[in-house]
Amino acid sequence: MGTLLFGLRHFLASEAIDDQLWDDLEAVLGEFAPAAPHETADFTMRLRPAITGLVEIVQYDVRPYPVRQMRRLIFLSAEHPPPDGVRGHLNRFAMAILAVLDLLGDAA
């Protein structure tokens, strides 16, 4: 039963945490991060769907449940900043995703 549970958790993690998510996080936080406002909006829209998968995975894999980190992640995913605050919001959002991925450890 433990092996089956491990396999299911690994499958859930691989569905939510794919190469595209890592590429997007690198593009947002990396050395060559986008400067144009339309690019930041595109990245925000691409990162939002990952939240559902992360919420699913964290509830099974992280003990104790990281209420503060998950609350911040969910809040940031629902926020719609004004045009002059999009870049800062995207950085905070990406950092919140990374914080949750760090909690997952090897599952991520």
Side-chain angles (χ1 to χ4, degrees):
M1 192 60 130
T3 305
L4 179 61
L5 185 58
F6 176 79
L8 286 173
R9 286 180 179 164
H10 184 70
F11 175 74
L12 281 174
S14 68
E15 287 289 308
I17 306 165
D18 58 3
D19 290 336
Q20 183 63 48
L21 175 63
W22 290 111
D23 291 344
D24 288 344
L25 289 172
E26 173 64 29
V28 170
L29 298 171
E31 183 178 352
F32 303 106
H38 72 278
E39 289 179 311
T40 56
D42 291 344
F43 281 114
T44 301
M45 295 308 294
R46 290 204 325 237
L47 290 174
R48 280 193 178 127
I51 304 309
T52 305
L54 288 175
V55 169
E56 279 292 316
I57 296 165
V58 168
Q59 70 180 335
Y60 296 113
D61 283 351
V62 179
R63 296 285 184 253
Y65 187 79
V67 174
R68 185 177 54 83
Q69 291 92 338
M70 295 306 293
R71 190 175 285 164
R72 178 169 170 76
L73 180 64
I74 292 167
F75 175 75
L76 287 169
S77 73
E79 189 176 294
H80 296 281
D84 61 340
V86 173
R87 181 73 185 135
H89 171 264
L90 181 59
N91 284 340
R92 289 189 301 278
F93 187 33
M95 292 300 289
I97 292 172
L98 281 178
V100 171
L101 291 173
D102 284 345
L103 293 172
L104 286 169
D106 290 338

